[in-house]
Amino acid sequence: MSPRTTIEDVYAQILARNPGEPEFHQAVREVFGSLDRVLEKRPEYTEASILERICEPERQIIFRVPWLDDAGRVQINRGFRVQYNSALGPYKGGLRFHPSVLLGTVKFLGFEQIFKNALTGMPIGGGKGGSDFDPKGRSDAEVMRFCQSFMTEAYRHIGEYTDVPAGDIGVGAREIGYLFGQYKRITNSYESGVLTGKGVTWGGSLVRTEATGYGAVYFTQHMLATRGQSFDGARVLVSGSGNVAIYAIEKVQSLGGIVVGASDSSGAVHDPDGIDLELLRDVKERRRDRIEVYATERGGRARFVPGASVWDLDGDESVQVALPCATQNELGEEHARTLVANGLVAVAEGANMPATPGAIRIFRQAGVLFGPGKAANAGGVATSALEMQQNASRDSWGFEHTEERLAEIMAGIHERTAETAEEYGVPGDYTVGANIAGFIRVADAMLALGVI
Ligand code: GLU
């Protein structure tokens, strides 16, 4: 990139070279929106074409995943692994199994992951993968055969020192188990550190399951504290009812907050007395059922709104904290406007990119505290890095110690993000703080490693 090339020129090249990938464009735009301040201070980044290089994945793998369903029919899915950036450590990031997954989805998630992982301060690069496989309604045996087929190709591209996948939407302990089993079988080695999110009896880390949800709540606590506020007595909306949402709800409740809504892809439940977490876990985790069943079994206390987003419920509720923990672009401008009008104080993204750019603008203009996913949901991948540490030293830590480490890491991320925002003249803007702090760490490593 010649010194005269601007961020806008680079962005135009990215649009032209990556057509039809709107989520990827959105993720790049969001990071680029923060970088003009850095590039002014550090011309060496422009001279070394860091922007162009950081947007181009180091390697992208796309493969066929054939498997047999329970009726003996052949099914074909597409598998992906985007190995985005390894300047700071092995590629690290989850696998998403969802019918909406396209290459552009994996690229947006991988791109976000680079900066999120850098922000944790741990030695992990960025990557992401997944498949358009839909685990919903599939038997355990079908999920196992799919995972085995996925790993039969993926194993040659990953490794403890190369690339370490984990879970994301549609990939939890069950899938990681089947994936690890197949990796172990093919390679004939017990290489624990090749995947994270493993079961605690076979190389997993305590707190990894809880980490993303807990971490998002810790981050929100730090944001609230800057205004002398806390979760105690706060009314909170959480979207989703998967792994991130469940543990965010648990932590909010333990801090005295009242979570009045949750959701899944079929609709939302409004539970003004506060979610009964045991029941929600029973329905969603153990029975893998629809959230409507939760409302039915809540004995008249909760209302199910089919097809609704949890953010639609804010018309009936005034909430102080919003924790979007479902999926990308779930919280739009209209939702943001209603939330703000009803007295919202803070938002933290438990999911990746759940708030649209328009919603973020509205939050910013209204002075709502906004914790972007790169910072707020980094507790999951940070605890994956702790799992890698335990695997490397053949150790396993206790719950309390691991949770303390997670809490320290989240406090560090909050501090780094807030200080960077301050340094670059936008105090309280966690988006700019997270983007710049993450970017500088990766960019400096890339400079040091030469043109590779
Ligand atoms: N999928 C999670 C994320 O978005 C966790 C990734 C990991 O643990 O590697 O950060």
Side-chain angles (χ1 to χ4, degrees):
M1 164 162 148
S2 96
R4 297 174 64 87
T5 313
T6 64
I7 292 186
E8 287 312 317
D9 295 333
V10 180
Y11 186 64
Q13 284 168 27
I14 283 159
L15 291 183
R17 298 181 71 209
N18 302 274
E21 297 181 344
E23 291 156 336
F24 175 57
H25 303 158
Q26 184 184 334
V28 172
R29 176 87 264 168
E30 198 257 357
V31 172
F32 278 17
S34 306
L35 295 184
D36 46 346
R37 299 168 174 87
V38 187
L39 299 185
E40 253 166 50
K41 277 199 190 177
R42 305 283 302 269
E44 63 270 32
Y45 292 153
T46 306
E47 277 152 30
S49 295
I50 293 291
L51 276 197
E52 290 95 323
R53 277 201 274 155
I54 219 166
C55 291
E56 186 67 22
E58 289 174 20
R59 192 174 296 105
Q60 306 182 58
I61 302 144
I62 306 179
F63 50 100
R64 179 170 70 197
V65 188
W67 55 283
L68 289 177
D69 67 17
D70 284 347
R73 280 186 302 261
V74 177
Q75 299 281 343
I76 303 291
N77 286 101
R78 188 174 288 172
F80 302 95
R81 187 73 186 164
V82 173
Q83 300 182 326
Y84 224 118
N85 192 297
S86 60
L88 294 174
Y91 309 106
K92 181 81 197 86
L95 297 171
R96 176 174 294 190
F97 292 170
H98 191 273
S100 66
V101 169
L102 298 166
L103 178 62
T105 324
V106 182
K107 277 165 70 181
F108 120 64
L109 291 163
F111 186 73
E112 290 266 302
Q113 201 83 44
I114 304 171
F115 306 102
K116 181 197 311 193
N117 294 4
L119 206 51
T120 65
M122 310 185 80
I124 42 178
K128 202 85 185 193
S131 172
D132 57 1
F133 172 71
D134 187 1
K136 222 173 274 159
R138 291 293 178 190
S139 69
D140 284 354
E142 289 178 315
V143 170
M144 180 179 77
R145 288 194 292 275
F146 173 80
C147 288
Q148 289 177 339
S149 182
F150 185 96
M151 187 53 88
T152 302
E153 172 61 33
Y155 89 95
R156 64 187 94 244
H157 308 290
I158 64 175
E160 185 181 348
Y161 298 104
T162 315
D163 183 358
V164 183
D168 195 84
I169 293 172
V171 178
R174 174 182 61 171
E175 290 74 18
I176 294 294
Y178 296 145
L179 290 163
F180 185 71
Q182 184 73 349
Y183 183 87
K184 184 177 86 60
R185 182 186 193 194
I186 294 174
T187 59
N188 191 32
S189 68
Y190 208 110
E191 189 188 332
S192 300
V194 70
L195 289 172
T196 60
K198 299 180 294 295
V200 285
T201 55
W202 45 276
S205 172
L206 287 166
V207 192
R208 176 63 192 87
T209 316
E210 295 85 352
T212 313
Y214 279 16
V217 174
Y218 292 146
F219 192 87
T220 314
Q221 267 189 303
H222 290 297
M223 290 200 300
L224 289 171
T226 64
R227 300 211 178 147
Q229 299 189 28
S230 76
F231 272 106
D232 198 18
R235 293 182 80 75
V236 181
L237 272 178
V238 176
S239 63
S241 49
N243 170 263
V244 181
I246 296 264
Y247 291 101
I249 295 172
E250 186 189 285
K251 193 48 95 182
V252 168
Q253 291 181 339
S254 78
L255 296 168
I258 304 137
V259 180
V260 295
S263 59
D264 69 9
S265 57
S266 69
V269 290
H270 183 208
D271 193 338
D273 295 341
I275 293 281
D276 174 344
L277 190 57
E278 267 323 295
L279 178 59
L280 186 66
R281 292 189 63 170
D282 187 48
V283 172
K284 294 304 301 180
E285 285 184 339
R286 282 181 279 278
R287 291 191 257 162
R288 294 182 190 272
D289 214 333
R290 297 281 181 178
I291 203 159
E292 182 173 9
V293 176
Y294 169 89
T296 313
E297 296 184 12
R298 186 79 169 109
R301 282 194 160 96
R303 179 171 61 99
F304 174 66
V305 190
S309 152
V310 94
W311 312 116
D312 299 326
L313 301 175
D314 194 56
D316 312 330
E317 272 289 347
S318 129
V319 298
Q320 288 82 58
V321 181
L323 301 176
C325 298
T327 195
Q328 65 268 19
N329 292 325
E330 55 161 298
L331 197 168
E333 277 178 56
E334 275 311 306
H335 298 134
R337 254 183 229 114
T338 320
L339 286 161
V340 166
N342 287 342
L344 186 74
V345 176
V347 184
E349 295 187 314
N352 292 312
M353 214 168 73
T356 64
I360 297 172
R361 211 174 309 120
I362 288 166
F363 293 142
R364 186 179 293 135
Q365 281 161 4
V368 168
L369 294 162
F370 180 77
K374 285 183 204 82
N377 74 39
V381 76
T383 309
S384 277
L386 299 180
E387 183 171 332
M388 290 161 72
Q389 281 183 25
Q390 292 169 73
N391 293 151
S393 58
R394 300 185 185 281
D395 197 0
S396 56
W397 307 340
F399 193 95
E400 254 174 52
H401 171 69
T402 318
E403 196 185 358
E404 246 166 57
R405 293 287 308 268
L406 168 65
E408 276 166 24
I409 292 166
M410 294 314 296
I413 293 174
H414 179 267
E415 199 179 295
R416 216 164 293 142
T417 313
E419 279 176 8
T420 309
E422 184 101 38
E423 186 189 333
Y424 282 85
V426 278
D429 191 329
Y430 292 96
T431 303
V432 172
N435 286 337
I436 294 184
F439 175 79
I440 289 180
R441 193 156 181 260
V442 183
D444 284 347
M446 288 174 74
L447 280 183
L449 300 179
V451 179
I452 54 169

